[in-house]
Amino acid sequence: MAALDRWERRLVSIARVIPYFVLTVTTVLYSIFTTQSAPERWFTYGVVAFGFVWMTWWFTLHPAWHGRPELMAVFIAGMVVFYGVLGMREHWFGAVSYAVYIYASEVLRGRWMFFVVALTAGLATLSLFGGYPSDAPAAFWLLLLVFVVVACTFTYVGHVTTEQSRMRKDLLEENEGLHAQLLVQAHEAGVHDERHRMAGEIHDTLAQGLAGIITQLSAASASDWERRVAVATDLARENLAEARRSVHALRPPALDSAALHEALDDVASGWSRHNGVPVSVTLTGAVREMHPEVEVALLRTAQEALANVAKHASASRVGLTLSYMEDVVTLDVRDDGVGFDLARSSDGFGLPAMRHRVNRLSGALFVESEPGAGTAISARVPA
Protein backbone atom coordinates (compact mmCIF):
# COMPACT_ATOMS: atom_id res chain seq x y z
CA MET A 1 0.00 0.00 0.00
CA ALA A 2 2.82 2.42 0.86
CA ALA A 3 4.68 1.58 -2.37
CA LEU A 4 1.52 2.12 -4.40
CA ASP A 5 1.00 5.51 -2.75
CA ARG A 6 4.58 6.53 -3.52
CA TRP A 7 4.28 5.59 -7.19
CA GLU A 8 0.94 7.36 -7.45
CA ARG A 9 2.35 10.53 -5.91
CA ARG A 10 5.32 10.43 -8.29
CA LEU A 11 3.10 10.01 -11.35
CA VAL A 12 0.83 12.84 -10.23
CA SER A 13 3.85 15.10 -9.65
CA ILE A 14 5.27 14.30 -13.09
CA ALA A 15 1.90 14.85 -14.77
CA ARG A 16 1.55 18.28 -13.15
CA VAL A 17 5.05 19.35 -14.21
CA ILE A 18 4.55 18.33 -17.86
CA PRO A 19 2.36 21.37 -18.83
CA TYR A 20 5.01 23.81 -17.58
CA PHE A 21 7.80 21.79 -19.19
CA VAL A 22 6.06 21.59 -22.57
CA LEU A 23 5.20 25.32 -22.56
CA THR A 24 8.79 26.22 -21.62
CA VAL A 25 10.37 24.00 -24.30
CA THR A 26 8.03 25.18 -27.04
CA THR A 27 8.65 28.80 -26.06
CA VAL A 28 12.41 28.26 -26.36
CA LEU A 29 12.00 26.60 -29.77
CA TYR A 30 9.72 29.40 -30.88
CA SER A 31 12.26 32.02 -29.78
CA ILE A 32 15.01 30.28 -31.80
CA PHE A 33 13.18 29.48 -35.03
CA THR A 34 10.37 32.03 -35.34
CA THR A 35 10.37 34.53 -38.21
CA GLN A 36 7.80 36.79 -36.64
CA SER A 37 8.50 40.45 -36.07
CA ALA A 38 9.44 41.86 -32.69
CA PRO A 39 5.93 43.16 -31.87
CA GLU A 40 4.44 39.76 -32.79
CA ARG A 41 7.01 37.95 -30.62
CA TRP A 42 6.26 40.16 -27.62
CA PHE A 43 2.55 39.54 -28.05
CA THR A 44 3.24 35.79 -28.15
CA TYR A 45 5.40 36.08 -25.03
CA GLY A 46 2.51 37.85 -23.33
CA VAL A 47 0.16 34.99 -24.23
CA VAL A 48 2.74 32.49 -22.90
CA ALA A 49 3.02 34.47 -19.66
CA PHE A 50 -0.75 34.46 -19.38
CA GLY A 51 -0.67 30.64 -19.75
CA PHE A 52 1.87 30.26 -16.97
CA VAL A 53 -0.12 32.52 -14.66
CA TRP A 54 -3.42 30.84 -15.55
CA MET A 55 -2.12 27.31 -14.80
CA THR A 56 -0.38 28.41 -11.62
CA TRP A 57 -3.33 30.33 -10.20
CA TRP A 58 -6.22 28.05 -11.12
CA PHE A 59 -4.56 24.66 -10.67
CA THR A 60 -1.21 24.64 -8.87
CA LEU A 61 -1.86 27.18 -6.11
CA HIS A 62 -5.43 26.05 -5.39
CA PRO A 63 -5.56 22.24 -5.23
CA ALA A 64 -8.82 22.46 -3.28
CA TRP A 65 -10.49 23.81 -6.43
CA HIS A 66 -9.83 20.53 -8.29
CA GLY A 67 -12.98 19.03 -6.82
CA ARG A 68 -15.23 21.97 -7.77
CA PRO A 69 -16.63 21.34 -11.28
CA GLU A 70 -17.76 24.93 -11.92
CA LEU A 71 -14.30 26.37 -11.21
CA MET A 72 -12.56 23.66 -13.22
CA ALA A 73 -14.90 24.35 -16.14
CA VAL A 74 -13.67 27.96 -16.14
CA PHE A 75 -10.05 26.76 -15.88
CA ILE A 76 -10.36 24.29 -18.78
CA ALA A 77 -12.22 26.84 -20.94
CA GLY A 78 -9.39 29.30 -20.34
CA MET A 79 -6.81 26.65 -21.26
CA VAL A 80 -8.60 25.84 -24.53
CA VAL A 81 -8.79 29.54 -25.48
CA PHE A 82 -5.15 30.05 -24.47
CA TYR A 83 -4.03 27.08 -26.56
CA GLY A 84 -6.19 28.13 -29.51
CA VAL A 85 -4.68 31.64 -29.58
CA LEU A 86 -1.11 30.39 -29.08
CA GLY A 87 -1.36 27.50 -31.55
CA MET A 88 -2.78 29.68 -34.28
CA ARG A 89 0.10 32.14 -33.93
CA GLU A 90 2.91 29.58 -34.33
CA HIS A 91 2.93 25.83 -35.05
CA TRP A 92 5.77 25.31 -32.55
CA PHE A 93 3.18 25.59 -29.79
CA GLY A 94 1.17 22.63 -31.09
CA ALA A 95 2.73 20.40 -28.41
CA VAL A 96 1.08 22.52 -25.70
CA SER A 97 -2.03 20.45 -26.46
CA TYR A 98 -0.56 17.83 -24.08
CA ALA A 99 -1.14 20.27 -21.21
CA VAL A 100 -4.83 20.55 -22.08
CA TYR A 101 -5.12 16.74 -22.40
CA ILE A 102 -3.59 16.22 -18.96
CA TYR A 103 -5.75 18.81 -17.23
CA ALA A 104 -8.93 17.65 -18.98
CA SER A 105 -8.36 14.00 -18.01
CA GLU A 106 -7.70 14.97 -14.38
CA VAL A 107 -10.53 17.39 -13.66
CA LEU A 108 -13.25 16.41 -16.16
CA ARG A 109 -15.32 13.26 -16.48
CA GLY A 110 -17.55 11.64 -19.06
CA ARG A 111 -18.53 13.32 -22.31
CA TRP A 112 -17.11 16.71 -21.30
CA MET A 113 -13.65 15.20 -20.97
CA PHE A 114 -13.81 13.67 -24.47
CA PHE A 115 -15.37 16.84 -25.91
CA VAL A 116 -12.48 18.99 -24.66
CA VAL A 117 -9.91 16.41 -25.82
CA ALA A 118 -11.47 16.23 -29.30
CA LEU A 119 -11.68 20.04 -29.50
CA THR A 120 -8.03 20.36 -28.48
CA ALA A 121 -7.03 17.73 -31.07
CA GLY A 122 -8.84 19.82 -33.69
CA LEU A 123 -6.98 22.94 -32.59
CA ALA A 124 -3.70 20.98 -32.72
CA THR A 125 -4.47 20.00 -36.33
CA LEU A 126 -5.23 23.62 -37.25
CA SER A 127 -1.99 24.70 -35.55
CA LEU A 128 -0.02 22.18 -37.59
CA PHE A 129 -1.47 23.52 -40.85
CA GLY A 130 -1.38 27.15 -39.72
CA GLY A 131 -5.16 27.33 -40.04
CA TYR A 132 -7.60 25.59 -42.33
CA PRO A 133 -5.76 24.70 -45.59
CA SER A 134 -7.72 25.56 -48.70
CA ASP A 135 -5.31 23.69 -50.94
CA ALA A 136 -5.25 20.29 -49.09
CA PRO A 137 -8.55 19.79 -47.29
CA ALA A 138 -8.45 15.98 -47.60
CA ALA A 139 -5.10 15.74 -45.79
CA PHE A 140 -6.38 18.10 -43.10
CA TRP A 141 -9.51 16.07 -42.42
CA LEU A 142 -7.56 12.78 -42.45
CA LEU A 143 -5.01 14.13 -39.99
CA LEU A 144 -7.80 15.66 -37.89
CA LEU A 145 -9.46 12.24 -37.68
CA VAL A 146 -6.19 10.60 -36.66
CA PHE A 147 -5.47 13.27 -34.01
CA VAL A 148 -8.96 13.04 -32.51
CA VAL A 149 -9.01 9.23 -32.44
CA VAL A 150 -5.52 8.94 -30.97
CA ALA A 151 -6.10 11.68 -28.37
CA CYS A 152 -9.47 10.26 -27.27
CA THR A 153 -8.11 6.70 -27.19
CA PHE A 154 -5.11 7.57 -25.03
CA THR A 155 -7.29 9.72 -22.80
CA TYR A 156 -9.74 6.84 -22.36
CA VAL A 157 -6.93 4.37 -21.60
CA GLY A 158 -5.43 6.80 -19.09
CA HIS A 159 -8.81 7.41 -17.51
CA VAL A 160 -9.50 3.66 -17.16
CA THR A 161 -6.02 3.06 -15.73
CA THR A 162 -6.48 5.85 -13.21
CA GLU A 163 -9.90 4.54 -12.16
CA GLN A 164 -8.54 1.01 -11.78
CA SER A 165 -5.69 2.33 -9.67
CA ARG A 166 -8.13 4.28 -7.52
CA MET A 167 -10.39 1.25 -7.11
CA ARG A 168 -7.39 -0.94 -6.28
CA LYS A 169 -6.26 1.58 -3.70
CA ASP A 170 -9.76 1.78 -2.19
CA LEU A 171 -9.89 -2.02 -2.08
CA LEU A 172 -6.50 -2.21 -0.39
CA GLU A 173 -7.55 0.42 2.14
CA GLU A 174 -10.77 -1.46 2.78
CA ASN A 175 -8.85 -4.72 3.19
CA GLU A 176 -6.42 -3.04 5.56
CA GLY A 177 -9.34 -1.65 7.54
CA LEU A 178 -11.00 -5.07 7.69
CA HIS A 179 -7.70 -6.67 8.67
CA ALA A 180 -7.21 -4.16 11.47
CA GLN A 181 -10.81 -4.67 12.57
CA LEU A 182 -10.35 -8.45 12.59
CA LEU A 183 -7.17 -8.08 14.63
CA VAL A 184 -8.99 -5.92 17.16
CA GLN A 185 -11.89 -8.37 17.30
CA ALA A 186 -9.52 -11.31 17.63
CA HIS A 187 -7.69 -9.53 20.44
CA GLU A 188 -10.95 -8.69 22.19
CA ALA A 189 -12.18 -12.26 21.71
CA GLY A 190 -8.90 -13.57 23.08
CA VAL A 191 -9.11 -11.30 26.11
CA HIS A 192 -12.76 -12.26 26.65
CA ASP A 193 -11.97 -15.96 26.26
CA GLU A 194 -9.01 -15.70 28.63
CA ARG A 195 -11.18 -13.95 31.21
CA HIS A 196 -13.71 -16.74 30.92
CA ARG A 197 -10.95 -19.30 31.23
CA MET A 198 -9.47 -17.67 34.32
CA ALA A 199 -12.92 -17.22 35.85
CA GLY A 200 -13.67 -20.88 35.25
CA GLU A 201 -10.29 -21.99 36.58
CA ILE A 202 -10.66 -19.85 39.69
CA HIS A 203 -14.12 -21.28 40.24
CA ASP A 204 -12.92 -24.84 39.61
CA THR A 205 -9.93 -24.50 41.95
CA LEU A 206 -10.08 -21.71 44.53
CA ALA A 207 -13.86 -21.47 44.90
CA GLN A 208 -14.42 -25.22 45.06
CA GLY A 209 -11.43 -25.69 47.34
CA LEU A 210 -12.51 -22.95 49.72
CA ALA A 211 -16.04 -24.32 49.75
CA GLY A 212 -14.67 -27.78 50.62
CA ILE A 213 -12.45 -26.37 53.33
CA ILE A 214 -15.33 -24.40 54.85
CA THR A 215 -17.55 -27.49 54.73
CA GLN A 216 -14.93 -29.59 56.54
CA LEU A 217 -14.22 -26.97 59.19
CA SER A 218 -17.92 -26.23 59.74
CA ALA A 219 -18.63 -29.93 60.25
CA ALA A 220 -15.75 -30.43 62.67
CA SER A 221 -16.71 -31.56 66.14
CA ALA A 222 -14.80 -32.46 69.28
CA SER A 223 -14.64 -36.12 68.25
CA ASP A 224 -13.32 -35.72 64.68
CA TRP A 225 -11.85 -32.23 64.47
CA GLU A 226 -8.33 -33.57 63.83
CA ARG A 227 -9.53 -35.57 60.80
CA ARG A 228 -11.55 -32.65 59.49
CA VAL A 229 -8.63 -30.24 59.85
CA ALA A 230 -6.33 -32.73 58.13
CA VAL A 231 -8.80 -33.04 55.23
CA ALA A 232 -9.13 -29.24 55.01
CA THR A 233 -5.34 -28.91 55.00
CA ASP A 234 -5.06 -31.46 52.17
CA LEU A 235 -7.73 -29.59 50.21
CA ALA A 236 -5.88 -26.30 50.74
CA ARG A 237 -2.61 -27.79 49.43
CA GLU A 238 -4.29 -29.45 46.44
CA ASN A 239 -6.15 -26.32 45.44
CA LEU A 240 -3.12 -24.09 45.89
CA ALA A 241 -1.27 -26.32 43.42
CA GLU A 242 -4.30 -26.27 41.09
CA ALA A 243 -4.47 -22.47 41.27
CA ARG A 244 -0.79 -22.15 40.32
CA ARG A 245 -1.29 -24.51 37.39
CA SER A 246 -4.38 -22.58 36.27
CA VAL A 247 -2.48 -19.29 36.20
CA HIS A 248 0.04 -20.84 33.82
CA ALA A 249 -2.69 -22.61 31.77
CA LEU A 250 -1.28 -26.05 32.63
CA ARG A 251 -3.18 -29.32 32.54
CA PRO A 252 -4.72 -30.51 35.80
CA PRO A 253 -2.30 -32.81 37.69
CA ALA A 254 -4.79 -35.69 37.44
CA LEU A 255 -4.20 -35.75 33.66
CA ASP A 256 -0.41 -35.42 33.78
CA SER A 257 0.31 -39.15 33.91
CA ALA A 258 -3.10 -40.76 33.52
CA ALA A 259 -5.79 -41.19 30.86
CA LEU A 260 -9.08 -39.37 31.22
CA HIS A 261 -11.01 -42.30 32.70
CA GLU A 262 -8.20 -42.92 35.21
CA ALA A 263 -8.16 -39.23 36.14
CA LEU A 264 -11.94 -39.36 36.67
CA ASP A 265 -11.42 -42.36 38.99
CA ASP A 266 -8.89 -40.37 41.03
CA VAL A 267 -11.14 -37.28 41.21
CA ALA A 268 -14.17 -39.39 42.17
CA SER A 269 -12.33 -41.36 44.85
CA GLY A 270 -10.85 -38.20 46.38
CA TRP A 271 -14.22 -36.46 46.36
CA SER A 272 -15.88 -39.55 47.91
CA ARG A 273 -13.22 -39.74 50.61
CA HIS A 274 -13.67 -36.07 51.55
CA ASN A 275 -17.48 -36.02 51.43
CA GLY A 276 -18.37 -39.53 52.55
CA VAL A 277 -20.60 -40.21 49.55
CA PRO A 278 -19.90 -43.29 47.37
CA VAL A 279 -19.17 -42.61 43.69
CA SER A 280 -19.19 -45.20 40.92
CA VAL A 281 -17.28 -44.58 37.68
CA THR A 282 -18.35 -46.47 34.55
CA LEU A 283 -16.49 -46.59 31.23
CA THR A 284 -18.15 -47.56 27.93
CA GLY A 285 -16.71 -47.76 24.43
CA ALA A 286 -13.12 -48.05 23.24
CA VAL A 287 -10.73 -45.66 24.97
CA ARG A 288 -8.72 -43.46 22.60
CA GLU A 289 -6.60 -40.34 22.72
CA MET A 290 -8.34 -37.00 22.50
CA HIS A 291 -7.28 -33.39 22.26
CA PRO A 292 -5.98 -32.15 25.65
CA GLU A 293 -8.61 -29.38 25.75
CA VAL A 294 -11.38 -31.99 25.44
CA GLU A 295 -9.95 -34.01 28.35
CA VAL A 296 -9.51 -30.90 30.51
CA ALA A 297 -13.07 -29.72 29.79
CA LEU A 298 -14.59 -33.08 30.71
CA LEU A 299 -12.49 -33.42 33.87
CA ARG A 300 -13.39 -29.89 34.98
CA THR A 301 -17.05 -30.60 34.23
CA ALA A 302 -16.90 -33.69 36.45
CA GLN A 303 -15.23 -31.70 39.25
CA GLU A 304 -17.82 -28.93 39.02
CA ALA A 305 -20.72 -31.39 38.96
CA LEU A 306 -19.35 -33.20 42.04
CA ALA A 307 -18.81 -29.87 43.81
CA ASN A 308 -22.46 -28.97 43.15
CA VAL A 309 -23.54 -32.34 44.53
CA ALA A 310 -21.55 -31.71 47.72
CA LYS A 311 -22.98 -28.21 48.17
CA HIS A 312 -26.61 -28.69 47.19
CA ALA A 313 -27.73 -32.26 46.54
CA SER A 314 -27.56 -34.07 49.91
CA ALA A 315 -27.11 -37.22 47.82
CA SER A 316 -26.43 -40.74 49.12
CA ARG A 317 -24.70 -41.92 45.94
CA VAL A 318 -23.33 -40.53 42.69
CA GLY A 319 -22.58 -42.15 39.35
CA LEU A 320 -20.12 -41.00 36.63
CA THR A 321 -20.28 -42.53 33.16
CA LEU A 322 -17.70 -41.80 30.46
CA SER A 323 -18.82 -43.00 27.03
CA TYR A 324 -16.59 -43.14 23.94
CA MET A 325 -18.70 -43.24 20.79
CA GLU A 326 -17.84 -43.01 17.10
CA ASP A 327 -17.39 -39.25 16.82
CA VAL A 328 -18.35 -37.88 20.25
CA VAL A 329 -17.56 -38.54 23.87
CA THR A 330 -20.06 -37.97 26.66
CA LEU A 331 -19.76 -37.57 30.40
CA ASP A 332 -22.84 -38.20 32.55
CA VAL A 333 -22.99 -37.30 36.25
CA ARG A 334 -26.08 -38.46 38.13
CA ASP A 335 -27.02 -38.22 41.79
CA ASP A 336 -30.02 -39.24 43.90
CA GLY A 337 -30.15 -35.98 45.83
CA VAL A 338 -32.89 -33.45 46.43
CA GLY A 339 -32.83 -32.08 42.87
CA PHE A 340 -34.15 -28.64 41.91
CA ASP A 341 -36.64 -26.91 39.67
CA LEU A 342 -34.92 -26.02 36.39
CA ALA A 343 -37.49 -23.32 35.63
CA ARG A 344 -36.67 -21.49 38.84
CA SER A 345 -32.95 -22.13 38.92
CA SER A 346 -30.64 -19.10 38.67
CA ASP A 347 -27.74 -21.40 37.62
CA GLY A 348 -25.21 -19.49 39.75
CA PHE A 349 -21.75 -19.71 38.23
CA GLY A 350 -21.30 -23.49 38.12
CA LEU A 351 -23.65 -24.46 35.29
CA PRO A 352 -22.76 -21.48 33.06
CA ALA A 353 -19.05 -22.23 33.57
CA MET A 354 -19.58 -25.87 32.57
CA ARG A 355 -21.71 -24.85 29.59
CA HIS A 356 -19.09 -22.33 28.44
CA ARG A 357 -16.33 -24.93 28.60
CA VAL A 358 -18.33 -27.41 26.56
CA ASN A 359 -19.61 -24.83 24.04
CA ARG A 360 -16.06 -23.68 23.33
CA LEU A 361 -15.41 -27.15 21.93
CA SER A 362 -18.59 -27.13 19.80
CA GLY A 363 -20.25 -29.41 22.32
CA ALA A 364 -23.45 -29.25 24.35
CA LEU A 365 -24.41 -29.50 28.02
CA PHE A 366 -27.75 -30.95 29.13
CA VAL A 367 -29.23 -30.76 32.65
CA GLU A 368 -32.17 -32.79 33.93
CA SER A 369 -33.55 -32.37 37.43
CA GLU A 370 -36.69 -32.00 39.46
CA PRO A 371 -37.32 -31.64 43.18
CA GLY A 372 -36.90 -34.95 45.00
CA ALA A 373 -35.71 -36.87 41.91
CA GLY A 374 -31.99 -36.06 41.80
CA THR A 375 -30.00 -34.38 39.04
CA ALA A 376 -28.38 -35.59 35.82
CA ILE A 377 -25.77 -33.55 33.90
CA SER A 378 -24.58 -34.70 30.50
CA ALA A 379 -21.69 -33.12 28.59
CA ARG A 380 -21.26 -34.12 24.92
CA VAL A 381 -18.24 -32.96 22.92
CA PRO A 382 -16.62 -33.99 19.62
CA ALA A 383 -14.05 -36.68 20.18
Side-chain angles (χ1 to χ4, degrees), residues 2 77 107-108 114 138 178 242 254 368-369 375:
V107 301
L108 299 179
F114 291 106
L178 289 174
E242 284 276 8
E368 297 178 4
S369 184
T375 301

Side-chain angles (χ1 to χ4, degrees), residues 88-373:
M88 291 301 100
R89 294 193 59 78
E90 178 61 63
H91 69 275
W92 286 108
F93 291 104
V96 179
S97 61
Y98 287 108
V100 185
Y101 297 149
I102 289 174
Y103 287 134
S105 63
E106 183 164 351
V107 301
L108 299 179
R109 290 294 180 268
R111 63 180 183 272
W112 286 109
M113 177 178 65
F114 291 106
F115 171 75
V116 170
V117 168
L119 178 61
T120 304
L123 292 175
T125 309
L126 289 171
S127 175
L128 184 64
F129 282 88
Y132 181 75
S134 58
D135 55 341
F140 170 80
W141 288 108
L142 178 61
L143 197 58
L144 174 63
L145 178 63
V146 172
F147 273 25
V148 170
V149 170
V150 170
C152 289
T153 299
F154 276 94
T155 300
Y156 176 74
V157 172
H159 174 69
V160 170
T161 303
T162 302
E163 287 299 305
Q164 287 179 338
S165 177
R166 182 188 60 78
M167 293 173 63
R168 191 180 300 112
K169 182 180 178 181
D170 291 343
L171 183 61
L172 287 173
E173 290 178 349
E174 182 180 355
N175 287 341
E176 286 186 350
L178 289 174
H179 181 65
Q181 183 179 355
L182 288 175
L183 288 178
V184 171
Q185 291 177 348
H187 174 71
E188 292 177 350
V191 171
H192 182 71
D193 193 58
E194 181 63 13
R195 285 174 178 170
H196 266 283
R197 185 191 73 80
M198 288 303 300
E201 294 290 349
I202 290 172
H203 180 268
D204 292 340
T205 56
L206 296 179
Q208 291 180 7
L210 290 173
I213 292 169
I214 292 172
T215 299
Q216 295 296 328
L217 295 178
S218 299
S221 60
S223 59
D224 65 349
W225 70 271
E226 290 185 356
R227 183 183 68 83
R228 296 283 186 179
V229 170
V231 171
T233 302
D234 290 341
L235 286 173
R237 291 196 183 99
E238 291 173 4
N239 283 273
L240 178 59
E242 284 276 8
R244 287 171 176 167
R245 301 177 72 87
S246 297
V247 168
H248 297 288
L250 301 176
R251 285 160 60 85
L255 290 171
D256 275 344
S257 58
L260 177 60
H261 65 283
E262 296 170 337
L264 288 175
D265 275 331
D266 291 341
V267 169
S269 61
W271 183 88
S272 179
R273 185 172 61 255
H274 292 153
N275 294 278
V277 179
V279 181
S280 63
V281 179
T282 305
L283 175 66
T284 65
V287 176
R288 62 182 183 276
E289 286 190 15
M290 295 183 297
H291 192 281
E293 286 192 27
V294 174
E295 295 184 341
V296 171
L298 291 177
L299 182 66
R300 293 301 193 196
T301 299
Q303 290 175 323
E304 176 61 29
L306 290 173
N308 286 344
V309 172
K311 286 187 288 186
H312 308 297
S314 300
S316 60
R317 64 180 184 276
V318 181
L320 269 69
T321 303
L322 180 65
S323 303
Y324 290 92
M325 290 176 272
E326 182 177 352
D327 56 352
V328 298
V329 60
T330 63
L331 173 69
D332 298 297
V333 183
R334 299 177 180 273
D335 68 72
D336 62 351
V338 297
F340 61 94
D341 187 351
L342 288 173
R344 297 182 179 179
S345 171
S346 62
D347 277 358
F349 186 84
L351 288 178
M354 284 190 283
R355 187 168 285 110
H356 177 73
R357 282 187 180 278
V358 173
N359 290 345
R360 280 183 57 201
L361 303 176
S362 300
L365 185 78
F366 306 95
V367 181
E368 297 178 4
S369 184
E370 60 181 67

